[in-house]
Amino acid sequence: MGVKQALRAIHAFPRAEEHLLQKTKSGAFVSVVGLLIMVTLFLHELSYYLNIYTVHQMAVDLRRGENLPIHINMTFPSLPCDVLSVDAIDMSGKHEVDLDTNIWKLRLNSDGHITGTEYLSDLVEKEHEAHKHDVHKEHHEDSDKIHLQGIDEESENMIKKVKKALASGEGCRVYGVLDVQRVAGNFHISIHGLNIFVAQMIFEKPTHVNVSHIIHDLSFGPKYPGIHNPLDRTSRILQGASGAFKYYIKVVPTEYRYISKEVLPTNQFSVTEYFSPIHEFERTWPAVYFLYDLSPITVTIREERRSFLHFITRLCAVLGGTFALTGMLDGWMFKLLEAVTKKNSRTIVR
């Protein structure tokens, strides 16, 4: 036997079974069902191949000398914009009041609707130096000033304006970006920028300061697909009480690498919350503190897509398996119908 004859004698595939060479009543039904299954599985595999998944990796954070952007969007429904101050302190000892980055205030009426906007100015910053001194010394010096010289006209006008705003239920929405150094620190929103005696003339005592707030958005950098910021849509409303809210935040440096190779540097964070109530005759004024620290570990999230060969392999497996299964099903139905037909034929002959 020559080579050509030997090759012709090889059959890689078995010959078709007898039921596959005949038209049967069940063949059309099985073919339609098999075709529907194949189309469904093909679409599923195509979607699985086109779907992008993410891979997470961790490494030591090697970034240095970068700033940390903090995006804030908060509402204080019980405090007017004129008394709110945004301050930041970090581990290097840097203390900033009303940061120079873009921070905006929106005046809100009692229904929460916007009535006006203004840029966070140095309205209260000029009084801030007094906070660097001892509280008792400040109390003594400022008391003499008030009794001897009285409050200046600008402060009087502000006090009248704030009292009128409080009486009408005016609130404030603060939003923007704080650009701070990439070290541990805190920022807080409060009335601390006011002169202590101006604050006393407006609120009488700390327990009358309502720092109820709603955090619409708080993030440490731009957002990427699938990110979850735990403080978003957080609402803390006080009823008949006052105190300081403290959010302890652990910032995790993150890099998001898109399928297009574009890299987005940002941060994730986790948070724990603590509320410290203020009682009568305490000298501490309420505030909302955000105390943050940075993790030494950075997380890299990388988008990936499954290989085309992987897609072809799975496609051949599901389509081939469906074809084989429908062939077996057609064979069983053919033999069943054949057996029933022969039985009925014998009964008729008898």
Side-chain angles (χ1 to χ4, degrees):
M1 181 182 296
V3 177
K4 189 177 293 185
Q5 287 79 5
L7 291 175
R8 288 178 177 177
I10 296 176
H11 292 281
F13 304 98
R15 294 182 179 180
E17 299 179 15
E18 182 181 354
H19 71 278
L20 297 177
L21 302 176
Q22 301 179 15
K23 289 185 177 182
T24 61
K25 295 181 179 179
S26 62
F29 172 75
V30 173
S31 298
V32 171
V33 172
L35 182 61
L36 291 175
I37 295 175
M38 287 183 181
V39 171
T40 302
L41 293 178
F42 170 76
L43 294 176
H44 176 269
E45 289 301 320
L46 182 62
S47 174
Y48 183 74
Y49 165 67
L50 296 177
N51 184 45
I52 295 174
Y53 66 97
T54 56
V55 177
H56 292 67
Q57 296 177 331
M58 292 188 295
V60 176
D61 184 21
L62 301 178
R63 286 183 286 181
R64 295 180 298 174
E66 298 181 7
N67 288 338
L68 181 66
I70 305 176
H71 301 259
I72 61 172
N73 186 356
M74 299 177 60
T75 294
F76 290 82
S78 301
L79 289 176
C81 292
D82 290 313
V83 300
L84 284 177
S85 173
V86 181
D87 305 340
I89 307 173
D90 59 38
M91 292 292 291
S92 67
K94 188 176 182 180
H95 187 182
E96 296 181 280
V97 180
D98 295 344
L99 299 176
D100 295 332
T101 49
N102 292 328
I103 299 295
W104 293 83
K105 294 189 293 185
L106 303 177
R107 293 175 55 200
L108 307 176
N109 60 20
S110 58
D111 297 323
H113 299 145
I114 298 172
T115 59
T117 65
E118 61 179 311
Y119 194 75
L120 267 183
S121 65
D122 58 351
L123 178 65
V124 294
E125 185 175 359
K126 60 184 180 181
E127 303 287 353
H128 184 72
E129 291 298 324
H131 290 280
K132 296 182 179 179
H133 302 291
D134 182 76
V135 175
H136 297 288
K137 180 179 179 182
E138 179 186 359
H139 185 282
H140 177 72
E141 294 177 353
D142 287 339
S143 294
D144 292 340
K145 182 180 178 181
I146 287 177
H147 291 300
L148 296 177
Q149 301 176 2
I151 298 178
D152 58 41
E153 184 178 353
E154 183 180 354
S155 298
E156 288 182 358
N157 293 335
M158 189 189 71
I159 292 172
K160 293 177 181 179
K161 181 181 178 182
V162 172
K163 285 187 174 182
K164 182 179 179 181
L166 288 171
S168 62
E170 186 174 304
C172 185
R173 186 163 183 169
V174 181
Y175 71 97
V177 181
L178 305 179
D179 201 16
V180 299
Q181 297 185 81
R182 198 176 183 81
V183 294
N186 79 78
F187 71 94
H188 53 276
I189 304 176
S190 64
I191 65 168
H192 291 172
L194 290 174
N195 179 286
I196 184 68
F197 294 101
V198 172
Q200 287 177 346
M201 294 191 69
I202 295 174
F203 298 100
E204 294 184 3
K205 47 188 175 181
T207 53
H208 292 170
V209 179
N210 189 341
V211 290
S212 297
H213 58 279
I214 301 170
I215 303 176
H216 305 286
D217 174 58
L218 179 70
S219 59
F220 292 78
K223 296 183 179 181
Y224 61 83
I227 189 174
H228 172 67
N229 293 323
L231 286 179
D232 288 0
R233 294 177 294 277
T234 297
S235 178
R236 297 292 179 265
I237 306 298
L238 296 174
Q239 301 291 344
S242 186
F245 289 90
K246 296 181 180 180
Y247 298 96
Y248 297 91
I249 297 173
K250 193 71 171 182
V251 180
V252 181
T254 303
E255 280 189 353
Y256 192 89
R257 298 179 179 270
Y258 290 93
I259 195 73
S260 61
K261 307 303 181 184
E262 180 184 355
V263 179
L264 177 67
T266 183
N267 300 277
Q268 305 177 76
F269 69 92
S270 61
V271 62
T272 55
E273 179 183 349
Y274 178 73
F275 175 72
S276 176
I278 292 179
H279 305 288
E280 289 286 340
F281 308 113
E282 287 193 27
R283 303 181 65 86
T284 305
W285 291 85
V288 179
Y289 293 89
F290 298 89
L291 302 97
Y292 56 88
D293 191 11
L294 283 87
S295 170
I297 302 298
T298 183
V299 176
T300 300
I301 305 175
R302 188 175 66 254
E303 289 184 346
E304 290 189 357
R305 180 174 286 155
R306 296 166 182 85
S307 68
F308 183 71
L309 289 178
H310 185 265
F311 167 66
I312 293 297
T313 302
R314 290 177 60 95
L315 190 63
C316 291
V318 297
L319 295 184
T322 303
F323 183 80
L325 182 62
T326 53
M328 293 171 59
L329 180 62
D330 183 56
W332 294 337
M333 295 185 67
F334 174 78
K335 291 179 181 179
L336 179 62
L337 292 175
E338 189 179 44
V340 172
T341 303
K342 288 182 179 180
K343 184 177 181 180
N344 292 338
S345 299
R346 291 175 183 174
T347 304
I348 293 173
V349 170
R350 292 179 183 176

